[in-house]
Amino acid sequence: ANTSIDWKETPEAHNFKADLPGAKKEEVKVEVEEGRVLQISGERSKEEEEKNDKWHRVERSSGKFLRRFRLPENAKVDQVKASMENGVLTVTMPKEDAKKKPEMKSIEISG
């Protein structure tokens, strides 16, 4: 089964959105493996088929899905949050603060 996922980076976080129509949150796994790989997986079940049913078209995908994303160094992998609403999985991963330039401090010269 193919799963479409968007990955957007904002100044504060990495945001992933996955379209999972009909999937229940219990059927979806969100994991960070090897320290820096986000893995989203699950399974869409096939509709029960009665012996007297006659299918005219089957376009919706079913079966297992697995997507992996190598995360950049600035991702705080220990603070991942995930939620699911209306068939859309949202994974939010805060980012480390950008390296700030060292402040310039004036030193008064005495003498």
Side-chain angles (χ1 to χ4, degrees), residues 13 17-18 27 41 52-53 57 62 70 72-73 78 85 87 89 95 97 101 105 107-108 110:
K17 285 191 184 262
E27 300 171 328
S41 62
N52 293 329
D53 289 350
R57 184 177 297 263
S62 62
R70 179 151 310 276
E73 290 295 320
D78 57 336
E85 189 176 340
L89 172 71
K95 288 172 32 177
D97 293 333
K101 291 182 181 178
K105 184 178 177 185
I107 310 295
E108 192 174 317
S110 60

Side-chain angles (χ1 to χ4, degrees), residues 52-63:
N52 293 329
D53 289 350
K54 179 181 177 186
W55 290 90
H56 291 274
R57 184 177 297 263
V58 178
E59 294 182 350
R60 299 186 312 154
S61 59
S62 62

Side-chain angles (χ1 to χ4, degrees), residues 2-6 17-21 44 65 86-89:
N2 189 25
T3 299
S4 300
I5 299 179
D6 294 340
K17 285 191 184 262
D19 288 341
L20 300 170
R44 283 196 202 102
F65 63 88
N86 297 326
V88 178
L89 172 71

Side-chain angles (χ1 to χ4, degrees), residues 7-66:
W7 176 0
K8 177 174 72 172
E9 183 175 352
T10 67
E12 299 81 32
H14 292 278
N15 298 300
F16 297 83
K17 285 191 184 262
D19 288 341
L20 300 170
K24 298 180 183 95
K25 67 180 185 178
E26 297 81 18
E27 300 171 328
V28 179
K29 269 193 198 174
V30 177
E31 302 167 300
V32 177
E33 64 173 25
E34 300 167 17
R36 289 235 136 340
V37 177
L38 174 67
Q39 179 171 296
I40 299 172
S41 62
E43 186 168 2
R44 283 196 202 102
S45 33
K46 205 173 191 175
E47 193 171 321
E48 291 294 317
E49 201 170 320
E50 301 294 325
K51 74 176 184 181
N52 293 329
D53 289 350
K54 179 181 177 186
W55 290 90
H56 291 274
R57 184 177 297 263
V58 178
E59 294 182 350
R60 299 186 312 154
S61 59
S62 62
K64 294 183 180 187
F65 63 88
L66 170 69

